[in-house]
Amino acid sequence: MGFLSNTLVVLLLVGGVWLARLVARDRYWRENATQLWRRRPLALITLALFLLIGVLDSVGWVGGGASGEDDVAALRSRTLIDRLFQPERFTEASYSAPLARLSFYGGQPLKHPGKHLLGTDILGRDVVYRACKGVRVALLIGGFTSLIVIPIALLFGVFAGYFGKRIDDAVFFLMTVLASVPSLLLLIALVMVMGRGTLQVCIALGITGWVHFCRIARGETLKLREAEFVDAARALGVSDLTIIRRHVLPNIAHLIIITFALSFTGLVLAETILSYLGIGLDGSWGQMIDQARNELSRTPIIWWNLAGASVALFVLILAVNMIADALRDIIDPRTRREGR
Amino acid sequence: MGAYLIRRVGYGLITVLGVLFLLFVLFFAVTDPDDIARKAVGERARPEVYALWKKNHGYDRPLLLNRAYAAGDSRRYTDTLLFDHYRRMLTFDFGNSDADDSLIARRLKEGMGPSLSLTVPLFAFGLVLGVLLALFVAFFRETYIDRAVLVLCMLTMSIAGLLYIISGQYLIGMLLKWFPISGFAFEPYLAGRFLALPVLVGVVSGIGADVRLYRTIFVEESNRDYVRTARAKGCGEVRVMLAHVLRNALIPILSNIVITIPFLFTGALLLESFFGIPGLGSLTVEAIQGNDFSTLRTMVYLGALLFIAGQILTDISYALADPRVRLT
């Protein structure tokens, strides 16, 4: 597990660097990127921070736990975030308030007074630590799902749009059928049927979100197929696959990026609903919120669990929403014309 | 028009068959009927009980091909899960719940009323408030009011639906004690008191996205030529917005909304479950938590059916309004 996630992180980082180089080389993307940075610096920094936490939480190795732990715990791989917070050393009594020094009954000093910035949950785990662990899950939901979905949707959508006829009919029918089922119900049905796990939830989210990408890719390809430069390429005898690679894909890339940014928030928010229904991902913010929802009615009120998870969720969603909004304004030629 | 109508409805029917096949794959082929039975009667049930349960719920047949019959016998194909699934869904014979053996059709009938009493006011208030607010913002477009409301919309869109419900119940139900936290009654006055909070929470949680969408439509409309003409002939800005822009913008707004009307019947999953409204949303949530696959299957099917019906109605009304559609 540890090895797999380490390799994935390395692959993702390499992919990110490759993408950044691509962006830097192409004038169009470089201009858009600088404009995005100029418009939304705060949101981009926030997102980068979340990404950093996510990466730190994905790199881990075995060993270095507290002394006197059992064999199972000793063999578990610990990520950098785990090593930073060392949750096993600083477990407190359940529900200690933020920065509490004394216990509620009798005023006894706590085990780790003033150590927990946002208090602890029912099992005495640090809330800040749990919120940080949630970052990786959220990014996994939004990012990993899209990583599965976008290539498949592009393949289907572009081929349907480009070749038309039978392929288009088949893909269009598949899209209609999947789009006919209300997405939340389809999502629930898929998770119920496939079981509860990270990969299953991501696949379920992917199947539900796939149609949206595919429709956009198909529609745009239909338009591009009639474009003059595609005609010219065809007249010169360029093969279909080369036309798709060289002329179609670069021209729908911007739409895919916008759709990705827009659907990211939808995916993460959908997971909170799944968590409430008891079929969410382990360690997600949705699960934290779900566990904390009855704590508000305790006296004295326990608010820090709910606050920790929901503020983290809110900040990430807001940052991505802002970026998506700005991206759409920058890239989409329709809104661009309107702005001027 | 007739040919278009037939083609459109025909395609809708084929889509329904496709959805049913998807459901079959999900609920019979991917989920092993044995698993469903085991979850329903328990891991340690005797084999007889287990077999009887499967027989009673119709899970005892083979998936695609019943080899118990000879090759020429039509029952070789009809006495299977696939055929039975299609037959029952298409004749609206939903059978019994996997969890407690109650008739699904009866529970659907019972849940429809409470669901509609939540979703219809939610829909109406949300639409009116959204359009009014968007109109207001579009009136002040490119000013600080516009900016402020748009930022506010972005903020409200970034909060999870779960949080609206939790904080609404806590603030209004527990601290201010304006409305009961949860519950339902069929008597009108009580129902109104019980429904006020979920409707309020639902409207607030959905308003951000609506206002942004409607505002875009309004702003797009107000750049059109006829608006300039109206201004040129001396209409005031208020009259331009209300008499010209609003009326023309209602078409794209309505076409966005017609498609959501069928879902008023399937209820609101989270709201109903949190506020204890015994509607179809609660039924779905119960089905998920109780591993009740037959009820869940029925709800997904009904949702898809309503969506397809709504789409056909939208397309037909488009065809009536615009002759170009009919010819394509």
Side-chain angles (χ1 to χ4, degrees), chain B residues 205-225:
Chain B
S205 66
I207 198 95
D210 285 353
V211 168
R212 277 172 61 94
L213 176 69
Y214 301 156
R215 176 196 168 273
T216 315
I217 295 173
F218 283 134
V219 170
E220 231 166 68
E221 276 304 316
S222 58
N223 290 335
R224 294 279 168 93
D225 289 344

Side-chain angles (χ1 to χ4, degrees), chain B residues 99-113:
Chain B
D100 55 4
D101 279 318
S102 59
L103 267 179
I104 294 176
R106 189 171 52 80
R107 299 195 59 183
L108 289 179
K109 221 176 286 168
E110 285 171 357
M112 195 89 91

Side-chain angles (χ1 to χ4, degrees), chain A residues 40 169 172-173 176-182 184-186 188-190 192-194 196 269 272-273 276-279 286 289-290 293 296-297 301 306 310-311 313-314 317-318 321-322 325 328 334 338, chain B residues 11 14-15 18-19 22 26-27 30-31 39 154-155 157-160 162-163 166 170 174 212 219-220 223 263 266 269-270 273-274 284-285 287-289 291-293 296 299-300 303-304 307-308 311:
Chain A
R40 296 273 188 271
D169 287 343
F172 190 76
F173 181 69
T176 322
V177 167
L178 279 178
S180 301
V181 185
L184 188 59
L185 283 175
L186 178 63
I188 290 165
L190 283 167
M192 288 283 290
V193 162
M194 291 193 300
R196 289 144 210 202
L269 289 179
T272 63
I273 298 178
Y276 166 67
L277 296 173
I279 47 183
I289 293 172
D290 181 49
R293 75 192 144 95
L296 286 180
S297 49
I301 175 177
L306 190 68
S310 34
V311 167
L313 178 67
F314 174 69
I317 301 282
L318 185 65
N321 263 341
M322 303 274 271
D325 202 46
R328 195 170 42 182
R334 268 193 314 155
E338 248 170 53
Chain B
Y11 197 74
I14 296 174
T15 315
V19 168
L22 176 74
L26 284 182
F27 284 97
V30 179
T31 339
K39 275 176 185 159
M154 183 71 92
L155 291 178
M157 276 165 70
S158 303
I159 299 174
L162 220 55
L163 279 176
I166 295 172
Y170 179 70
M174 247 177 85
R212 277 172 61 94
V219 170
E220 231 166 68
N223 290 335
F263 295 117
T266 52
L269 224 60
L270 284 187
S273 161
F274 262 95
T284 316
V285 173
I288 295 160
Q289 280 156 355
N291 276 316
D292 185 350
F293 285 87
L296 189 61
M299 289 307 297
V300 177
F307 180 80
I308 294 167
Q311 234 173 4

Side-chain angles (χ1 to χ4, degrees), chain A residues 90-100 110 112 115-128 130 295 302 304-305:
Chain A
F90 294 106
T91 303
E92 190 55 77
S94 56
Y95 294 137
S96 82
L99 296 174
L110 288 171
H112 310 286
K115 278 266 187 214
H116 298 286
L117 261 180
L118 264 176
T120 59
D121 69 349
I122 188 168
L123 293 176
R125 291 172 295 187
D126 187 61
V127 172
V128 178
R130 291 196 70 203
E295 291 168 1
I302 314 281
W304 46 89
N305 262 316

